[in-house]
Amino acid sequence: MIVLFLFALLWMVEGALCQLHYTVQEEQEHGTFVGNIAEDLGLDITKLSARRFQTAPNSRSPYLELNLETGVLYVNEKIDREQICKQSPSCLLHLEVFLENPLELFRVEIEVLDINDNPPSFPEPDLTVEISESATPGTRFPLESAFDPDVGTNSLRTYEITPNSYFSLDVQTQGDGNRFAELVLDKPLDREQQAVHRYVLTAVDGGQPQQRTGTALLTIRVLDSNDNVPAFEQPVYTVSLPENSPPGTLVLQLNATDPDEGQNGEVIYSFSSHISARARELFGIAPRTGRLEVSGELDYEESSVYQVYVQAKDLGPNAVPAHCKVLVRVLDANDNAPEISFSTVKEAVSEAAAPGTVVALFSVSDRDSEENGQVQCELLQGDAPFRLKSSFKNYYTIVTEGPLDREQPGGDAYTLTVVARDRGEPPLSTSKSIQVRVSDVNDNAPRFSQPVYQVYVSENNVPGAYIYAVSATDRDQGANAQLAYSILESQIQGMSVFTYVSINSENGFLYALRSFDYEQLKEFSFQVEARDAGEEPQPLAGNATVNIIVVDQNDNAPAIVSPLPGRNGTPAREALPRGAEPGYLVSRVTAVDADDGENARLTYSIVRGNEASLFRMDWRTGELRTARRVPAKRDPQRPYELVIEVRDHGQPPLSSTAAIQVVLVDGAAERPGGGGALGAGAGAGGGGGGSGEHRPSRSGGDSSLDLTLILIIALGSVSFIFLLAMIVLAVRCQKEKKLNIYTCLASDCCLGCCCCCPCCSHQARARKKKLSKSDIMLVQSSNVPSNPAQVPVEESGSFGSHHHNQNYCYQVCLTPESAKTDLMFLKPCSPSRSTDTEHNPCGAIVTGYADQQPDIISNGSILSSETKHQRAELSYLVDRPRRVNSSAFQEADIVSSKDSGHGDSEQGDSDHDATNRGQSSARKRIC
């Protein structure tokens, strides 16, 4: 019958350590149910497989089998208790089972119950005892003991003998619980009456419900009388002897005395017949001397007490032996080192495991006793974050003490050494080492070799070409360190970054998907991402910025924007006065290059048409000037055909050419394609010269905003502000100096002539310096008939004297191109005032205001009527003979011819000094 009960329930950190106690009788058949461990522990049977329910390897037994799916424990093969546990009072089989996630360990004890399956037995079937006829009643004779392998109530309980009148049995119990019988003489023997007595000796056990017995034939021989029997000093001797005492070690010197003489008094020693076989192996006795010594290896762990039965008898006839018992107590020596047995060791522990996670479970034992069997354990781990924890009896667990980091140096695996040391003298120790591997978790994000990559890519690259390689590393391992590269979505000039670059997801190689153009896109940036393949707890990613810098190549030739060719591709025409001095600015070639740096640094040169070295080109500014005077014999109908080359400094250099046709003109004729436009006077006389410096064409105004345009706007703004300031200052100055102006005008001071007063003189000189013929436009007065006769203008620039009968009003207007800000107060001529005009020495520049207010023109615009009214009182009539060839217009002619071609340069002023000397003296006479 199987008895099942729960023995104990304990607990431990990171896993409860429980003890279940089952009992099973020996000799049960295969498959006999022992117990349901899972049910008794309250475990979920459905999770046993997932939690890897199993038995510890060092506790497995061939007699028992555990169903890992159901938790049922059953008998695997027949159990013979006497074979497993010998005569031990208790027979226990230990089984250790554990589960993972979390780790739980359970200790199961299976007690094998004894059944009365063995009868007592004697060493020999026939036992012989010799007794002298002189033995007195009450004498005891030890008999051979019977042996019963069973234990407890099934062991040997008593002896019985065939009922008779001479002998009886006295059953005694030894210190170890074994029973033996002594034959007691109840009635004197008489050899002559009966020399041999035969009885049946029966050994009976205590089995229930049926006892088992063993028998032997006891033969008692009655010997002739020997009066004295040897005698020991004491019936029982107690001796303590250390274990592992070498053979030959003296146990006890026995001494038995016999008062007889001769052979009847000579004593010999021997072991009694009922001594155990193991005692005969371990001890020996000298027959003549009675020296009891060690003959085998004593082991405290095998048995702590041995009973040695010794008899002594003389050599006389019919000798009667004397008996004594030597009780040998074996003293424990520290001869057994502790033993370490690991029940479970985790192959790997996660680096994310919390402190206190169980890594290994082991037990220690020492076969010695008392202090020699008391064991202390320690863990040699160095700096490893582990510690040792006592759990249950001699069980210990190795648990984590702190966080684990596999990526630290040496953090991927730890070698842990457990040392068990007893308290004996000298202490013995044992050590065992285990290898604990730290499994990786995805706790490190990928990291690029640098946070920002500067990648230089030449423009005009081949689409699909490799441009760079980004790389990232991950300190994790396995799938947690497998990286996949990608580009994060972004916009570049309104288009997806995926249309510009791509990346190899495996190695981080970057490829250009289009050909880059430096002139359209100089640089752009995007982000790359490296993401690992980890799953626990989640994939991690790292980012880096990639700046693509497009490197300029010399792929754009210079573009000439001025001068522009004519229609149908004809060369640009520039006018060159025949009398131009060396250094005269013929034209300025302007070119732009869409490239950058050295690729956009331009050099200008004349490559063809300058064989006579008449021209020179400034290689930096592109200014085309005369190097010497034009030969007098040069045919004016034969222009100069120049080819100008503009070359950049790229590698290889690129260039563009422009053809310029330089046309010789007489005087200061307007340059074809020039910036100024002549008015009616210029159209009639042809003597008005264009601006001395060529201005670039505005045909390229549709181009994108560049530095040149910004400078032009800035300069225009400054000029406009300056003009307004001058107007305001002029108005204020005019009011403050009204009396001075009246006085000046009354003293025959006029615009264009030399003045008596300093202010007029200064203004006249300023106008004399700045006025040019290109700034003069002839406008018909509003009160003149609609179709007046035209006044012919002579080649010299003076009017003819035969048109005195016609009245015209001449207004000096500043053209939009003029940079002058001077104000001229003009009065159109009236027919009714012709007589007054004849008295005006200034040639009809200032006239009477009786009929009409003067028109004030500033930079080509007529001022408002309010402004005119403020200036009306400044005019008065001066009666002078009217001159058709007025000195004012002559003076304007002179100033215009001086400034044509060279602007404000003093060189231009000096060119006309000789020509105009006579006219200057004439003007002085008039003033």
Side-chain angles (χ1 to χ4, degrees), residues 288-546:
R288 293 290 183 178
T289 63
R291 177 185 172 88
L292 183 63
E293 59 183 24
V294 178
S295 60
E297 294 183 0
L298 297 178
D299 190 356
Y300 174 86
E301 290 69 36
E302 180 182 351
S303 177
S304 60
V305 177
Y306 292 94
Q307 295 182 9
V308 181
Y309 294 93
V310 180
Q311 67 178 7
K313 67 178 180 179
D314 56 31
L315 296 178
N318 303 321
V320 176
H323 299 273
C324 74
K325 180 174 70 174
V326 179
L327 188 62
V328 180
R329 298 185 181 277
V330 180
L331 301 178
D332 183 35
N334 193 23
D335 59 340
N336 292 282
E339 295 180 358
I340 302 174
S341 178
F342 279 92
S343 299
T344 178
V345 177
K346 280 190 175 181
E347 295 182 358
V349 58
S350 173
E351 63 175 330
T357 301
V358 177
V359 175
L361 175 68
F362 67 94
S363 62
V364 294
S365 61
D366 196 321
R367 297 177 61 193
D368 296 325
S369 62
E370 298 180 355
E371 289 188 353
N372 295 332
Q374 295 179 5
V375 181
Q376 292 179 334
C377 292
E378 62 176 332
L379 181 64
L380 305 180
Q381 83 279 14
D383 296 333
F386 298 92
R387 65 184 177 91
L388 198 63
K389 186 173 184 180
S390 177
S391 298
F392 174 72
K393 289 186 177 180
N394 291 330
Y395 277 85
Y396 296 85
T397 54
I398 299 176
V399 298
T400 58
E401 189 176 22
L404 302 176
D405 189 356
R406 191 197 65 83
E407 289 72 33
Q408 287 185 351
D412 56 343
Y414 295 93
T415 300
L416 305 179
T417 302
V418 177
V419 178
R421 182 178 290 104
D422 60 28
R423 295 186 177 182
E425 290 295 338
L428 300 179
S429 62
T430 301
S431 64
K432 271 192 176 182
S433 298
I434 60 173
Q435 189 82 8
V436 178
R437 183 174 59 85
V438 180
S439 61
D440 184 47
V441 296
N442 194 25
D443 58 343
N444 289 278
R447 179 176 296 179
F448 282 90
S449 58
Q450 55 192 77
V452 179
Y453 293 89
Q454 302 289 349
V455 181
Y456 295 87
V457 181
S458 298
E459 66 172 332
N460 303 322
N461 57 293
V462 178
Y466 163 85
I467 57 175
Y468 199 72
V470 297
S471 62
T473 57
D474 196 317
R475 298 177 62 192
D476 298 322
Q477 69 174 176
N480 297 331
Q482 294 178 1
L483 303 182
Y485 297 90
S486 62
I487 298 176
L488 299 182
E489 172 64 33
S490 62
Q491 296 290 319
I492 300 175
Q493 291 186 342
M495 299 184 67
S496 173
V497 68
F498 299 119
T499 63
Y500 285 81
V501 290
S502 67
I503 191 170
N504 188 314
S505 61
E506 295 180 357
N507 52 31
F509 286 4
L510 291 171
Y511 300 92
L513 298 182
R514 61 171 62 186
S515 181
F516 300 136
D517 188 353
Y518 176 83
E519 288 70 37
Q520 294 182 0
L521 182 63
K522 292 180 172 56
E523 65 178 26
F524 62 93
S525 63
F526 57 90
Q527 283 194 325
V528 292
E529 179 186 77
R531 183 177 296 272
D532 58 34
E535 296 181 355
E536 293 296 336
Q538 63 182 359
L540 300 178
N543 297 341
T545 301
V546 179

Side-chain angles (χ1 to χ4, degrees), residues 459 552-557 593 595 599 648-654:
E459 66 172 332
D552 184 38
Q553 287 187 335
N554 194 23
D555 58 342
N556 292 281
D593 195 319
D595 294 324
N599 297 330
D648 59 29
H649 287 70
Q651 293 297 329
L654 300 178

